[in-house]
Amino acid sequence: MQNINKKGRGRPKKVNVPKTNPNIRVKLKKMDDLSFDDALFIPMKTNTIVDGLLSSEGGLMPGTSYIFAGSPGVGKSTVLMDWLAEFQKQGKETLFISGEMGKIDLYKYVERFPKFGSLPTLFLEEYLTNPKEAIENTLKRGFDVVLVDSWAEVTDLVSDQMGWTRKRVESWLLELLGTHNNGKNKAKKYTSFMLIQQMTKQEELAGSNKVKHMTTGYCYIKYEGSDREERFIEFKKNRRGGEDKVYFDLGRGGKVGYNYPEAD
């Protein structure tokens, strides 16, 4: 018998054609014609050597967004919560969005690092059916610094809720960062974001190139050497300048210690 290729019956699948606007009005801008609030250029301090890592001005700059990726168990959350606690100590409004640690886990964590106990925290485990609204409504209050742990958990939760593709969730999150970077919240604060992200098997930053290009910078927090005795923080991209690399340890009685690489 001959093989007969039969055409599928029924209506053809609907093709989603992107909406375009050929008549869009484009307005070019010159930096000489723009002005910004001076508050955008006052660094927020940890009062540690980390300030020199974060920017050439010495500290985390308002209205910035950074991605932090690293080896499992190296101490990403601990390091960034340490910075967040220091910003809070300097009088800044801070927020920890926890998509990975639940209340019980964080409670035990605070026993090791008591300074984390006063950090306002949004536990996404309490909003599994509506994480998008929980995040958006919380950020509307306005914060100086927000730590998100992690980018992957937030995008997965919102994708499940909304039925969106990963790319669409990514665009939503980047737009949300930009909104609050520009002070569009009730407190009119130029929010800075520190976002923890996963790494690939090749130990590269996970996610699309759009994330790398549309954030202020990205940084690796890793072990050094095969013995995994030393840990370091190293920026691979930082539009605000600063030092390249700082070492850290987690074994100083509930405190994170920082030091520069030894000179050759």
Side-chain angles (χ1 to χ4, degrees), residues 76-199:
K76 299 183 294 296
S77 299
T78 305
V79 165
L80 297 177
M81 288 177 74
D82 184 62
W83 299 358
L84 197 66
E86 288 300 321
F87 294 136
Q88 185 189 49
K89 188 177 177 181
Q90 307 306 320
K92 301 302 179 182
E93 293 292 332
T94 61
L95 172 67
F96 177 37
I97 299 178
S98 180
E100 298 200 357
M101 272 194 286
K103 295 186 294 296
I104 297 174
D105 289 335
L106 187 57
Y107 182 82
K108 294 300 293 182
Y109 201 60
V110 168
E111 288 185 358
R112 284 187 60 204
F113 298 93
K115 67 193 296 186
F116 302 164
S118 62
L119 292 174
T121 303
L122 172 63
F123 290 102
L124 292 183
E125 66 175 6
E126 298 180 345
Y127 304 94
L128 295 179
T129 58
N130 53 357
K132 178 175 178 287
E133 292 79 8
I135 294 168
E136 290 175 339
N137 291 342
T138 302
L139 291 178
K140 284 178 183 178
R141 302 177 191 179
F143 297 90
D144 292 299
V145 189
V146 175
L147 169 60
V148 180
D149 188 7
S150 63
W151 178 287
E153 288 298 327
V154 168
T155 54
D156 284 347
L157 286 171
V158 173
S159 177
D160 290 343
Q161 175 195 355
M162 303 300 295
W164 288 350
T165 63
R166 184 64 58 84
K167 286 185 177 180
R168 185 170 179 183
V169 178
E170 200 172 77
S171 296
W172 162 78
L173 187 49
L174 287 169
E175 184 177 348
L176 188 65
L177 301 184
T179 295
H180 293 280
N181 285 159
N182 286 286
K184 296 179 181 179
N185 48 62
K186 291 180 180 178
K188 297 182 179 179
K189 290 185 177 293
Y190 303 107
T191 308
S192 293
F193 290 90
M194 305 186 296
L195 305 106
I196 296 175
Q197 175 61 310
Q198 297 175 344
M199 293 183 67

Side-chain angles (χ1 to χ4, degrees), residues 203-243:
E203 294 200 340
E204 294 295 332
L205 182 68
S208 71
N209 285 329
K210 182 165 66 172
V211 176
K212 295 180 182 179
H213 298 325
M214 295 188 69
T215 49
T216 312
Y218 63 95
C219 177
Y220 290 136
I221 302 177
K222 291 183 177 182
Y223 291 105
E224 185 167 83
S226 57
D227 55 8
R228 297 164 67 93
E229 288 186 0
E230 290 194 299
R231 312 167 195 233
F232 66 89
I233 308 161
E234 183 176 32
F235 273 97
K236 290 299 182 181
K237 167 194 161 186
N238 188 354
R239 291 196 176 112
R240 298 306 179 94
E243 301 288 341

